[in-house]
Amino acid sequence: MKFRKKPTSLITAAVIAAGSFSGTALAQDDPAASSLEEIIITGARGRPRTVSDSPVPVDVFDASAIEAVSYTDTANILQTLVPSYNVDRAPISDGGTFVRSPTLRGLPTDKTLVLVNSKRRHRAALVSIGGSGTQGPDVATIPAAALQNVEVLRDGAAAQYGSDAIAGVINFILKENTSGGSISIDGGEYAEGDGAAMTVSGNIGFALGDSGFFSLSGQLEEMDATTRAEQYCESWFCVDPSLPGYDPTASYTQYTEDPAFQAGVPAANIGPGDVVNPWGAPNQEAGRVFFNSGYDLDADTEAYAFGSYSESSTDGGFFYRYPENGTIEYLREPDGSLYWPLEKFPGGFTPRFFGEIYDFSLAGGMRGLLENGLSYDFSGRTGKNEIKYELKNTVNPSMGPDSPTSFHPGDLINTETQFQADFTYEVDTSLASPVLFAFGASYMDESYEVVEGETASYIDGPYATPDPWNLCTDAGAPTTAGATAIANGSTLDCSDSSDPVFQVVGVGSNGFPGYSPQFSELYERSSFALYADASADVTDNLFLQGAIRYEDYDDFDSEIVGKLAGKLDVTDTFGIRASFGTGFRAPTPGQQGTINVSTRLPDGFPVATGLFPAGGPVAQALGATALKPELSTNYTLGFTATLGELDLTVDMYRIDIEDRTRAVSTRDVSTDPTSGDAYTNYLALAAAGVAGAESIGGVFYFTNAFDTETSGVDVVATLPVDWGDAGTTTFTASLNYNKEEFATDPSAVLNAEEQFDFENFDPNFRGVFTARHGIGDLTLVGRMSWYGEATNANSGGNPLRFQTFDDILFTDLEAQYQINEMFRISVGGRNIFDEYPNVDSISDYCCGRIYSSGTAVDWQGAYYFGRLTAEF
């Protein structure tokens, strides 16, 4: 594999032939160089094609562009550079606090294929428990220091790369340096005075003999938590008597005006800040290592290997538990005395969730060129991601006084092993270029395991049922044991249905009950695929490509998908391009097997809500059916133009998805026989043997819910301006418009609020505008990130209430100075004007939350940083 460069007056993104990615990394250009160059990549499945030649839209960012972003997390770097790529910070969202799920073109992460060196990256073990239930790779495990460049294909490519490549493909190309290296120290803090972060990253290259390389990269990072919240003060419970919302006539005053309670409030939360319910970024520590290597066995044969290891620990809070909220309740002990959980937590408590994430990958193979012109690439890879959970500052309410206050709820493990063979061959024809044929085969094993937690984390203790010690008869009179208790001074009153003897409380470690043996399983599957691809310049002005793929999963039927793409050069400076393709995405083993019981707060009251596998007995007793694959159809139409020094691409797209996977709106559960469907749901849970069914207030599951249509347009413009002795400025503008709509009626699975938010919650417009100016040893980078308007709904009233969030503009500024040949210093800030989105005005968010925590729009405020880089 080789690359070449040719002089030109423009810097443009590197692109790939026919939507196929290169396995060759590019050398980093000097950002201060006076001569500008266009980067060309030679790909494994196609010839070099520039941005004006490519039949599909592609963004490529080299190492200098990556380093010019103030973030050190790869997911945030991509969000900064690619307008249609977004990732939210989701506090109080179980495992979503630890592994963040991005979107591309409005579609969740499981519809974007992630590659490293053109090989599929394994998925994280986390399955998001709401929304689309996505399970995709954790790109945060890839250290930015290891990257030579990143290629983002904004087009469906399932026919070329397989399941998941519906919204697009992201390919991370690793460094291949044989000598030298760099080390960087980055530190910063938010303007609020929290979230202090420190990152140390580096890379070093070694020569392997005379014809090989070994590039090693690593990253250590530590980030303190942030809090963007106000003290807990709601109509049902207000912690602080001095707050305006405090009601001195409310029943909660018996606690809040008790000095012992107030003394315990600061200890209710072991997280950051002085509020009992912190909202913000979690504490995080991580260490990551990546290597990339290759060795030329002869002039036409190369052996290669690359791999990674990552460890990270993260912790975040849950919702505050106040007295008499279904968790902190008076309970009768065997002797009739009262147990009060505030004995353990005098001021209430906020569970704290901890996650240890271990990620490993290894890939290797051999590629080369035979004498007959056939190129080959035989490869194998394996990857594993494991999440170990721990919960502190909480209880298993059903265990009463015997409950511990910390738990190990269990682990999640995702593993993948794949073997692949890829070939290319050129055939001379009468066309303007030879026809390039690419074909190959793949075999993959994957598994998802739910590992049982410690017993105390899931056991249904005695207080999961009323009157666990048989102190009362069914007729409401004391039993012999009850009479003895009363004789010894107990206040037991069997005739009073509200007596604590009848109190039922939740099962399992509160906040995140552990995985019981009943739901601790291993889900496995294998798949086989064949593909073929042909592309050629039919004439000097017309390029065409076609691809077809056959995939067969042992848990689903086989599927055939295809793609056509083409580019017509109308003039030397204007071209039209288009593509059409079909896609197929099989539900992952994790989506089919994940289970979760967590606490949600409809109207502020904590309710244990259970997610159960769609193909399992519990969900099927509730009416679920086993998941089936999603099918997609992609259309793109666009043009490329060169207007003087200006490069412009405009691409319209539409993605239709059939049988889209989505969690149904939560179904109520109640032990009250008069509650209709809610009681029927309880009976189904009890019949399926769900422990603590009496304490579960809601259930949901994933299903193939509806069809959708996603449409939009991407605009990318690049303009370099040479100021002579004053330096050169490169202006880049990227704009995305994206709209998601239902193509079928979703009312059977989603309530009115979720239907509205699905189509309107995310901004339709997103833009990134960058100016990079270099003069001598000084480089200045200014960037504006724009989010358009969005509207949120709240079902807390009838009819729905709505709030439109204004558009918002974040401004980043950075200055880099090359001190000498070795050292470079950078200082700057993101969101330097300390902009925040609108606060909630329709009471959709409670419990101290000020901003919407499920949006990609940042709500942390200004962040300032400094960075020292040494290159050697």
Side-chain angles (χ1 to χ4, degrees):
M1 301 298 173
K2 298 179 180 179
F3 69 89
R4 61 185 175 88
K5 303 178 183 176
K6 67 178 183 179
T8 183
S9 59
L10 302 176
I11 291 180
T12 61
V15 295
I16 39 127
S20 300
F21 283 139
S22 143
T24 302
L26 302 177
Q28 179 179 337
D29 291 330
D30 178 3
S34 58
S35 63
L36 306 180
E37 295 179 314
E38 181 177 29
I39 300 171
I40 307 294
I41 291 181
T42 301
R45 298 186 197 169
R47 302 175 192 85
R49 307 197 70 83
T50 69
V51 67
S52 59
D53 294 331
S54 173
V56 291
V58 179
D59 300 310
V60 176
F61 306 97
D62 66 8
S64 61
I66 295 169
E67 292 171 2
V69 178
S70 63
Y71 289 102
T72 57
D73 180 284
T74 303
N76 290 112
I77 291 173
L78 283 177
Q79 176 171 261
T80 303
L81 296 173
V82 183
S84 58
Y85 182 95
N86 286 291
V87 59
D88 59 8
R89 169 58 70 195
I92 311 186
S93 59
D94 295 334
T97 304
F98 312 142
V99 180
R100 303 167 64 194
S101 297
T103 62
L104 183 66
R105 285 184 162 176
L107 297 174
T109 183
D110 59 358
K111 294 169 183 62
T112 298
L113 179 62
V114 175
L115 308 174
V116 174
N117 279 356
S118 303
K119 307 301 181 185
R120 179 185 285 265
R121 181 72 172 173
H122 62 278
R123 302 183 186 93
L126 178 73
V127 179
S128 61
I129 62 171
S132 297
T134 60
Q135 183 190 12
D138 182 6
V139 300
T141 61
I142 305 172
L147 300 177
Q148 188 63 49
N149 63 298
V150 180
E151 304 168 341
V152 182
L153 168 63
R154 295 177 278 110
D155 188 40
Q160 292 141 316
Y161 294 101
S163 183
D164 303 347
I166 291 176
V169 183
I170 300 174
N171 190 22
F172 295 95
I173 302 298
L174 304 176
K175 292 179 178 177
E176 296 183 349
N177 48 318
T178 59
S179 62
S182 64
I183 185 169
S184 176
I185 301 175
D186 183 295
E189 188 176 71
Y190 284 96
E192 291 283 341
D194 57 9
M198 178 67 72
T199 302
V200 179
S201 58
N203 165 266
I204 188 168
F206 303 93
L208 296 180
D210 296 328
S211 59
F213 71 92
F214 182 88
S215 182
L216 181 66
S217 304
Q219 180 173 297
L220 295 173
E221 62 181 9
E222 182 175 345
M223 184 180 71
D224 294 338
T226 64
T227 299
R228 301 292 179 267
E230 58 190 9
Q231 185 59 286
Y232 194 105
C233 189
E234 305 292 343
S235 60
W236 49 85
F237 198 94
C238 185
V239 169
D240 189 348
S242 68
L243 295 175
Y246 186 83
D247 182 1
T249 66
S251 61
Y252 58 70
T253 59
Q254 61 180 307
Y255 305 109
T256 57
E257 296 179 6
D258 182 345
F261 178 85
Q262 286 298 329
V265 165
N269 168 46
I270 60 175
D274 57 359
V275 296
V276 297
N277 216 129
W279 292 87
N283 294 302
Q284 181 170 314
E285 295 181 358
R288 315 187 197 280
V289 178
F290 231 112
F291 82 90
N292 188 31
S293 63
Y295 190 84
D296 292 335
L297 302 176
D298 55 44
D300 297 317
T301 310
E302 179 193 22
Y304 62 89
F306 57 91
S308 64
Y309 181 76
S310 171
E311 285 188 16
S312 63
S313 60
T314 309
D315 68 273
F318 281 164
F319 290 99
Y320 169 66
R321 271 56 168 171
Y322 55 85
E324 297 188 53
N325 70 342
T327 298
I328 300 176
E329 301 284 355
Y330 281 103
L331 303 172
R332 290 283 181 194
E333 297 197 62
D335 63 358
S337 62
L338 291 174
Y339 166 69
W340 184 221
L342 288 190
E343 295 174 14
K344 285 186 170 71
F345 304 105
F349 65 95
T350 302
R352 196 77 183 171
F353 200 33
F354 296 77
E356 298 281 346
I357 304 176
Y358 303 89
D359 190 275
F360 166 81
S361 71
L362 181 63
M366 183 177 296
R367 56 193 169 207
L369 180 67
L370 301 179
E371 291 184 358
N372 62 3
L374 178 71
S375 70
Y376 63 89
D377 183 350
F378 298 107
S379 64
R381 70 171 183 91
T382 185
K384 178 180 179 180
N385 183 275
E386 180 176 7
I387 304 177
K388 293 180 176 292
Y389 289 135
E390 187 175 2
L391 202 60
K392 297 182 179 180
N393 208 52
T394 188
V395 294
N396 180 338
S398 70
M399 295 179 69
D402 296 329
S403 172
T405 58
S406 63
F407 303 85
H408 174 55
D411 309 328
L412 300 174
I413 303 174
N414 189 87
T415 59
E416 298 175 24
T417 299
Q418 183 178 21
F419 298 97
Q420 189 163 328
D422 300 291
F423 306 91
T424 62
Y425 189 73
E426 284 192 348
V427 176
D428 289 326
T429 66
S430 59
L431 302 178
S433 75
V435 177
L436 177 69
F437 290 99
F439 53 96
S442 168
Y443 174 82
M444 184 164 66
D445 277 324
E446 49 190 323
S447 68
Y448 180 80
E449 184 177 5
V450 180
V451 181
E452 179 184 348
E454 65 178 359
T455 303
S457 71
Y458 62 78
I459 191 173
D460 50 339
Y463 298 99
T465 57
D467 191 16
W469 313 116
N470 295 316
L471 298 178
C472 299
T473 67
D474 292 341
T479 61
T480 301
T484 300
I486 294 172
N488 290 331
S490 171
T491 59
L492 172 67
D493 184 356
C494 293
S495 64
D496 182 3
S497 61
S498 63
D499 188 276
V501 74
F502 301 113
Q503 179 67 52
V504 174
V505 290
V507 169
S509 44
N510 187 250
F512 192 91
Y515 302 120
S516 68
Q518 180 184 6
F519 299 107
S520 301
E521 297 186 38
L522 176 64
Y523 298 82
E524 299 178 289
R525 77 155 173 228
S526 61
S527 61
F528 174 75
L530 296 170
Y531 76 89
D533 184 299
S535 59
D537 290 302
V538 178
T539 69
D540 290 338
N541 297 324
L542 178 63
F543 172 84
L544 291 177
Q545 182 228 6
I548 190 169
R549 187 180 189 92
Y550 168 84
E551 289 196 322
D552 181 58
Y553 290 79
D554 64 4
D555 52 352
F556 296 104
D557 293 334
S558 59
E559 190 72 27
I560 296 177
V561 296
K563 181 177 180 178
L564 296 172
K567 173 73 173 18
L568 175 65
D569 292 327
V570 180
T571 69
D572 290 340
T573 60
F574 182 82
I576 299 173
R577 61 188 181 187
S579 68
F580 167 81
T582 58
F584 167 87
R585 196 198 71 80
T588 69
Q591 287 176 312
Q592 297 179 75
T594 191
I595 178 172
N596 177 274
V597 178
S598 58
T599 303
R600 299 190 175 190
L601 270 79
D603 301 321
F605 191 83
V607 174
T609 306
L611 166 69
F612 298 96
V618 177
Q620 295 203 346
L622 298 167
T625 57
L627 292 176
K628 58 184 180 180
E630 299 169 315
L631 302 178
S632 66
T633 306
N634 290 60
Y635 311 85
T636 67
L637 176 63
F639 68 84
T640 65
T642 300
L643 309 172
E645 296 296 301
L646 174 69
D647 273 1
L648 175 67
T649 65
V650 178
D651 295 280
M652 297 176 290
Y653 60 87
R654 174 172 159 177
I655 307 170
D656 295 337
I657 302 179
E658 298 179 20
D659 297 321
R660 187 158 168 180
T661 302
R662 181 82 178 184
V664 302
S665 294
T666 302
R667 301 338 193 195
D668 290 337
V669 177
S670 175
T671 57
D672 181 2
T674 65
S675 61
D677 290 342
Y679 182 66
T680 301
N681 292 334
Y682 160 71
L683 293 178
L685 294 180
V690 176
E694 296 84 355
S695 63
I696 293 179
V699 290
F700 64 109
Y701 48 84
F702 297 124
T703 189
N704 295 98
F706 41 72
D707 300 346
T708 62
E709 176 186 308
T710 302
S711 57
V713 60
D714 287 316
V715 180
V716 179
T718 304
L719 175 66
V721 178
D722 190 343
W723 307 98
D725 293 340
T728 300
T729 306
T730 301
F731 297 95
T732 303
S734 302
L735 181 69
N736 171 252
Y737 171 80
N738 190 83
K739 178 67 176 176
E740 278 201 288
E741 298 178 295
F742 294 110
T744 57
D745 184 5
S747 59
V749 292
L750 297 184
N751 60 35
E753 178 181 358
E754 293 191 33
Q755 291 179 53
F756 182 89
D757 287 345
F758 181 89
E759 295 186 322
N760 300 280
F761 182 76
D762 293 320
N764 295 130
F765 284 97
R766 170 91 198 284
V768 178
F769 312 96
T770 304
R772 179 170 183 154
H773 180 78
I775 177 171
D777 293 325
L778 178 65
T779 301
L780 299 175
V781 180
R783 180 180 295 109
M784 293 187 294
S785 297
W786 173 59
Y787 294 86
E789 289 186 349
T791 303
N792 178 44
N794 181 13
S795 61
N798 189 15
L800 292 178
R801 303 195 302 273
F802 305 98
Q803 177 183 2
T804 296
F805 293 91
D806 297 332
D807 63 345
I808 190 169
L809 186 69
F810 298 130
T811 303
D812 303 343
L813 187 63
E814 179 178 352
Q816 302 176 2
Y817 184 73
Q818 194 73 36
I819 301 172
N820 52 38
E821 290 185 359
M822 183 174 185
F823 291 103
R824 181 174 68 252
I825 189 171
S826 305
V827 294
R830 59 177 182 259
N831 188 12
I832 59 175
F833 298 116
D834 204 24
E835 295 289 336
Y836 284 84
N838 299 130
V839 300
D840 172 40
S841 65
I842 57 174
S843 301
D844 195 32
Y845 310 118
C846 76
C847 317
R849 180 168 31 170
I850 303 173
Y851 307 102
S852 168
S853 57
T855 175
V857 180
D858 186 74
W859 41 272
Q860 302 279 11
Y863 179 87
Y864 301 100
F865 70 95
R867 180 184 300 151
L868 177 65
T869 301
E871 297 179 336
F872 50 88

